[in-house]
């Protein structure tokens, strides 16, 4: 049988050849296959993305290009708005079928709807596949009696009624159809990936985590090597202060789809079966994957999930608009070494442990600074290499006690929490070398060190390292009262509306534009 059609495989997330149903479909029974990635200005012009994250993406694309090349194909990197460039290339290349993995983020839904319409007009067949999550959010809602599961428990009981997550599909064939040799402009586009400079970045990446399916699979294998560690994994028992990460650091690979969630899940379930005795959700590793799916499900079904205003799940809270405090937090200058070291880790590595994220998110919002969670979300979105729409928004709402979690009186101390894991403050000294000679006794509260000690440590507080921007002991108590009033107000629809109406979105935007002019929470 001679193969005739030409298909276009559009990579967006899902930057992998394993467990990629869209790829299998695109490669099936066609003469030529065009694997395409569009560098969409939407993602890096409208909102700044840190150099570590964009570099991680480019490394992932380069890896994909290599793996495709080994199979006789290549990655065609196009630049521009996919709504404009895809119709152009499918016309130029005579494409008859368009395949891609579904993306449920709001921007992607709108974009893909428009592209679907354009394809229909051009008589290009469209085939899409759900392979970024374990479960289909639409099916989960159905299993929950047509209601959105708004708690992890509700999500668990919904998925318990569903068939288990689909097994990963087979790997890409060893030989893929070639791109059509004379397709207009295709050869020039097959140059792989632009350099950082070409897309306007002057800084060099600083993270030690590198993108790509090859690295992702190696990391998965290494993470699961010690089966005892896997079956005994309990997230709250892993250390946020470990310099060698105490969890898998697979999140950036999951974000870009360099690793399949279904493959990760299948491997965990296999190990659990083999070992018999194992920890359980929510704290086990399987539990971590379910958290991800939970946020994807609830986020998909909640309008304005990424805003406070117009978001039915989110408590309306009159957060302070304080550019000075926000910037101090964003730049790691709060004067609390535990908080600042984590923020420096974010800038340098683009990744922090989950409980470290808890600490800084609580500090920015209800704990200390009383600044809006959406500002913290934006900082994370800019700097995290795993910055993920649903997971980031969901966790920020959680930590600010705006949704999902309501025990706002349980506040992380910026002084004692880190100490439980790292008495000597090795983590702090690593990320804040200015404090490296500060005696252990003062490392979490250097402003309490006598002048002589500060001099000896060559770190004068207020000069070499900032004084605390707020006094935790008093501020967190004031904030508790404010949170209590906010929670009371949210019980009345009228008062809730008054808070929303009074919240100044413009002031919030100005903060973003401005150029630098007792302990434990519920742990997951
Ligand atoms: C304020 C805040 C913001 C966050 N923003 C993000 C984000 O933008 N992107 C992101 O991937 N994670 C985010 N997290 C969740 C979590 O901190 C990271 O997923 C985790 O620390 C990644 O490290 P790991 O891969 O070693 O996790 P592991 O513990 O090894 O877990 C395995 C996988 O499970 C998933 N996972 C783990 N914890 C969570 C969780 N709480 N919610 C959802 N999925 C989870 C991740 O895909 C992770 O790779 C955020 C947490 C907080 C508190």
């Amino acid at each position: 049988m001679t193969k005739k059609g030409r298909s276009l495989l559009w990579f967006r997330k899902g930057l992998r050849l394993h467990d990629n149903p869209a790829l299998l479909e695109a490669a099936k029974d066609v003469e030529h296959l065009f694997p395409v990635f569009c560098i969409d200005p939407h993602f890096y012009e409208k909102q700044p993305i840190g150099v570590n994250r964009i570099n991680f993406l480019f490394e992932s694309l380069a890896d994909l290009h290599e793996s495709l090349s080994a199979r006789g194909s290549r990655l065609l990197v196009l630049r521009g708005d996919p709504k404009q460039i895809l119709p152009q290339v499918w016309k130029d290349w005579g494409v008859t079928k368009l395949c891609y993995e579904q993306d449920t983020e709001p921007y992607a839904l709108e974009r893909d709807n428009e592209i679907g319409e354009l394809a229909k007009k051009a008589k290009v067949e469209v085939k899409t596949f759900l392979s970024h999550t374990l479960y289909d959010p639409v099916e989960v809602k159905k299993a929950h009696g047509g209601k959105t599961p708004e708690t992890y428990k509700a999500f668990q009981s919904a998925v318990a009624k569903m068939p288990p997550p689909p097994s990963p599909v087979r790997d890409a064939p060893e030989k893929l159809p070639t791109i059509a040799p004379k397709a207009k402009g295709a050869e020039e586009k097959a140059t792989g990936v632009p350099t950082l400079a070409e897309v306007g970045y002057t800084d060099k990446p600083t993270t030690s985590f590198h993108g790509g399916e090859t690295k992702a699979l190696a990391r998965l294998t290494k993470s699961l090597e010690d089966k005892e560690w896997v079956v005994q994994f309990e997230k709250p028992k892993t250390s946020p202060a470990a310099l060698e990460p105490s969890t898998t650091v697979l999140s950036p690979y999951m974000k870009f789809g360099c690793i399949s969630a279904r493959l990760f899940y299948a491997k965990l379930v296999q190990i659990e079966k083999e070992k018999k005795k194992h920890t359980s959700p929510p704290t086990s590793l399987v539990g971590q994957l379910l958290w991800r799916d939970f946020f994807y499900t609830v986020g998909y079904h909640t309008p304005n999930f990424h805003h406070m205003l117009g978001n039915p799940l989110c408590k309306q809270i009159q957060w302070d608009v304080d550019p000075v405090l926000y910037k101090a937090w964003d730049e790691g200058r709060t004067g609390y070494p535990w908080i600042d070291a984590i923020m420096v880790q974010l800038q340098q590595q683009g990744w922090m442990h989950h409980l470290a994220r808890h600490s800084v998110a609580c500090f920015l919002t209800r704990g200390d600074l009383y600044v809006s969670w959406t500002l913290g979300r934006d900082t994370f979105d800019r700097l995290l290499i795993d910055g993920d729409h649903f997971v980031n928004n969901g966790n920020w709402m959680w930590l600010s006690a705006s949704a999902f979690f309501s025990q706002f009186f349980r506040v992380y101390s910026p002084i004692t929490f880190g100490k439980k894991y790292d008495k000597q403050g090795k983590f702090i000294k690593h990320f804040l070398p200015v404090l490296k000679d500060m005696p252990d006794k003062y490392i979490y509260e250097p402003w309490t060190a006598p002048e002589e000690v500060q001099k000896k440590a060559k770190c004068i507080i207020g000069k070499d390292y900032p004084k605390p921007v707020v006094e935790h002991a008093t501020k967190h108590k004031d904030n508790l009262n404010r949170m209590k009033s906010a929670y009371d107000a949210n019980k009345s629809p009228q008062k809730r509306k008054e808070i929303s109406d009074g919240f100044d979105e413009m002031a919030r935007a100005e903060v973003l534009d401005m150029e630098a002019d007792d302990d434990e929470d519920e742990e997951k």
Side-chain angles (χ1 to χ4, degrees), residues 349-360:
Q349 295 296 331
W351 181 91
M352 311 93 94
H353 184 277
H354 185 56
L355 295 177
R357 299 181 199 210
H358 273 220
S359 298
V360 295

Side-chain angles (χ1 to χ4, degrees), residues 235 247-251 288 351 354 357 386 388 391-392:
K235 187 68 155 270
T247 54
T248 66
V249 195
L250 281 165
S251 50
Q288 303 312 302
W351 181 91
H354 185 56
R357 299 181 199 210
D386 64 23
D388 178 296
V391 181
N392 199 21

Side-chain angles (χ1 to χ4, degrees), residues 159-180:
V159 299
K161 292 180 211 145
M162 296 171 65
S167 304
V169 297
R170 69 187 162 84
D171 281 356
E174 275 178 23
K175 199 107 201 88
L176 287 167
T178 57
I179 61 171

